[in-house]
């Protein structure tokens, strides 16, 4: 799903990256989408396995204590887990990382 829906590769490119035929890729993506839809609509858990993909999360920096950290809970986007102050910013906005986080803060102070 990541290759097709997020990276926007076509079916042939996805199959090539996964070292499977196009038909096998189509079967895999159909099954994954069905399982995801069922889990989301019925409140089931989703277990992700296979491959060697690790999500990359944007890091945040606290301007008060200098702590650089990955978010572990929603509130870490707004308050530093070390010092508890709200002087935090996504490292992308501070020009310290290469990814753009979808922070969606309404009150960017920096």
């Amino acid at each position: 799903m990541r290759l097709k829906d997020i990276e926007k590769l076509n079916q042939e490119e996805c199959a090539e990256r996964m070292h499977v035929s196009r038909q096998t890729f189509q079967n895999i993506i159909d099954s994954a989408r069905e399982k995801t839809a069922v889990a989301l609509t019925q409140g089931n858990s989703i277990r992700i396995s296979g491959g060697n993909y690790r999500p990359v999360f944007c890091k945040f920096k606290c301007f008060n204590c200098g702590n650089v950290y990955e978010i572990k809970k929603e509130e870490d986007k707004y308050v530093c887990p070390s010092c508890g102050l709200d002087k935090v910013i996504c490292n992308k906005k501070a020009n310290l990382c290469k990814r753009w986080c979808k922070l969606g803060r309404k009150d960017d102070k920096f």
Side-chain angles (χ1 to χ4, degrees), residues 88-102:
V88 297
I89 189 169
C90 167
N91 274 345
K92 177 61 180 178
K93 291 182 182 177
N95 293 321
L96 299 171
C97 77
K98 308 248 186 286
R99 295 180 55 86
W100 178 253
C101 70
K102 296 176 181 166

Side-chain angles (χ1 to χ4, degrees), residues 6 26 34 38 51 53 58-59 65 69 80 87 90 95:
I6 297 172
Q26 190 61 51
E34 180 182 354
V38 168
Y53 177 73
C58 190
K59 292 187 178 182
C65 68
Y69 61 94
C80 175
K87 305 256 186 241
C90 167
N95 293 321

Side-chain angles (χ1 to χ4, degrees), residues 42-53:
Q42 296 180 3
N44 298 343
S45 63
I46 298 174
R47 182 175 57 90
I48 300 171
S49 64
N52 57 1
Y53 177 73

